[in-house]
């Protein structure tokens, strides 16, 4: 990246400032172009050489037409950057067609195909619930007869818990017919709490990383419940979590990569932590994770992810003292698109007992039907001196925040999160 004038294409779908692209690439020295959506166009840096809009950034045909047009004006791209998990497959295929440097579909498969991912980690001896390919209902039934009910069936290339189904018995198999057919994975159900671990693998060791415990689950969020997360400050738990994360990161990607890892964390018979692999993403975590890292810890994980895709070695500082962060997402009370008619959150007794930042649509604004964790009813970010303090603030906010929206059919519905 030392010479001037490279053409770099960024595939960008966020409306908010999840990534500060202009800090990662000199937009004056290079021709940085963007393929984005109308919804995300306003967050494209003003110094961009050009931007082309597409209906969706995971629409390969539309993205390829946009890249082809940009190529005629700015030359063949030397790098393609895509930081959202939903765009990794598109970017890999675009790189293949262009013949440019960067990750292609083959190396990406271990991060995007959950069957391949689990096979790789299983070969490395990393503990996880039993799993198998699930091409049809017969395969799911056979797996359950061998491993027991309940089981979880999920898309092999899904994101944000899309299409995840829990089956408690053979009678639930018809639930698999409620969504379009696609390659799926079946797993033994695990009731242990789910944690997410985020950070940088340098290629040799862990760089900065943080472990967090979900408050509710991602699947609950798809069913209308609030989703929160609080960072862990229990050092007796962080030590085995760090060792586990190192094993997973090394097994999946011996080269540098930014990870969002999820794991089941329970307690063994001897009282020690029991940690099992759930899945891992080759990207910065979603929801409010990139914001909490920048605002609470002073670290831009998106910069490191961009460095990897630009062919640079990522380097991030490790704080001497970590503060504790957390976040909360509130779904809209009716399915999007819906219009916000009112919202309320009482002032906390002290600033530390409430969010330091809240992102709530203005009254009259429409919550779009986009999916993912950005375009939701409301988003909150927290910081404090301990996990306990942050969790109390999250639970207080969830209990007291109220959001009212009008669905397209005109009925008025209120959403209280104390249910």
């Amino acid at each position: 990246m030392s010479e001037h004038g490279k053409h770099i294409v960024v595939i960008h779908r966020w409306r908010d400032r999840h990534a500060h692209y202009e800090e990662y690439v000199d937009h004056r020295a290079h021709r940085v172009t963007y393929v984005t959506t109308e919804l995300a166009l306003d967050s494209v840096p003003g110094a961009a050489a050009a931007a082309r809009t597409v209906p969706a950034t995971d629409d390969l045909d539309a993205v390829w037409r946009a890249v082809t047009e940009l190529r005629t004006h700015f030359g063949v791209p030397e790098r393609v950057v895509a930081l959202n998990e939903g765009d990794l497959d598109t970017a890999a295929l675009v790189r293949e067609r262009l013949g440019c440097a960067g990750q292609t579909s083959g190396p990406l498969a271990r991060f995007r195909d959950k069957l391949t991912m689990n096979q790789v980690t299983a070969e490395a001896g990393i503990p996880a619930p039993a799993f198998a390919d699930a091409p049809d209902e017969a395969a799911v039934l056979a797996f359950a007869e061998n491993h027991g009910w309940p089981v979880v069936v999920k898309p092999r290339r899904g994101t944000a818990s899309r299409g995840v189904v829990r089956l408690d018995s053979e009678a639930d198999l018809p639930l698999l017919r409620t969504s379009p057919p696609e390659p799926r994975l079946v797993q033994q159900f695990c009731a242990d709490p789910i944690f997410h671990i985020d950070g940088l693998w340098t290629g040799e060791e862990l760089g900065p990383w943080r472990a967090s415990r979900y408050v509710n689950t991602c699947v609950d969020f798809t069913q209308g419940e609030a989703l929160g997360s609080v960072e862990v400050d229990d050092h007796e738990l962080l030590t085995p979590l760090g060792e586990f994360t190192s094993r997973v990161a090394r097994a999946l990607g011996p080269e540098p990569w930014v990870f969002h890892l999820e794991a089941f964390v329970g307690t063994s018979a001897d009282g020690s932590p029991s940690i099992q692999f759930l899945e891992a993403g080759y990207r910065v975590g979603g929801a409010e994770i990139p914001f909490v890292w920048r605002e609470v810890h002073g670290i831009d994980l998106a910069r490191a992810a961009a460095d990897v895709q630009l062919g640079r070695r990522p380097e991030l500082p490790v704080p001497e003292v970590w503060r504790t962060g957390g976040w909360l997402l509130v779904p809209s009370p009716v399915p999007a698109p819906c219009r916000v008619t009112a919202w309320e959150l009482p002032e906390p007794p002290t600033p530390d007992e409430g969010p330091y930042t809240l992102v709530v649509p203005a009254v009259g604004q429409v919550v779009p039907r986009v999916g993912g964790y950005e375009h939701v009813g409301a988003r909150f970010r927290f910081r404090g001196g301990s996990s306990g303090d942050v969790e109390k603030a999250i639970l207080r906010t969830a209990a007291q925040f109220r959001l009212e929206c009008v669905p397209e059919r005109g009925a008025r519905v209120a959403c209280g999160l104390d249910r």
Side-chain angles (χ1 to χ4, degrees), residues 93-169:
L93 291 168
V94 168
R95 293 185 191 108
E96 291 174 11
R97 293 184 180 184
L98 292 172
C100 68
Q103 189 180 59
T104 53
S105 300
L108 177 61
R110 63 178 55 200
F111 301 103
R112 288 291 294 127
D113 183 333
K114 291 178 173 57
L115 178 61
T116 302
M117 177 190 302
N118 277 272
Q119 290 170 337
V120 170
T121 53
E123 289 172 1
I126 294 167
F131 67 92
D133 193 12
D136 49 37
E137 292 178 25
V140 174
L141 179 59
F143 178 88
E145 288 176 341
N146 188 30
H147 295 282
W149 300 95
V151 299
V152 174
V153 181
K154 64 181 74 174
R156 284 170 51 175
R157 304 185 86 88
T159 60
S161 296
R162 174 189 62 81
V164 177
V165 180
R166 171 176 163 168
L167 308 179
D168 292 315
S169 69

Side-chain angles (χ1 to χ4, degrees), residues 329-399:
L329 303 181
V330 178
S332 59
V334 295
C338 58
R339 188 177 301 275
V340 176
T341 58
W343 66 270
E344 179 185 8
L345 178 63
E347 285 289 328
T350 67
D352 290 342
E353 296 178 72
Y356 72 83
T357 290
L358 61 161
V359 182
V360 184
V363 172
Q365 184 174 334
V366 173
V367 179
R369 184 178 182 179
V370 177
Y373 294 137
E374 180 182 11
H375 303 283
V376 298
R379 299 155 43 202
F380 304 88
R381 303 196 283 273
F382 303 83
R383 60 188 167 210
S386 70
S387 298
D389 291 342
V390 172
E391 185 169 13
K392 287 178 183 178
I394 290 172
L395 294 175
R396 177 191 177 278
T397 302

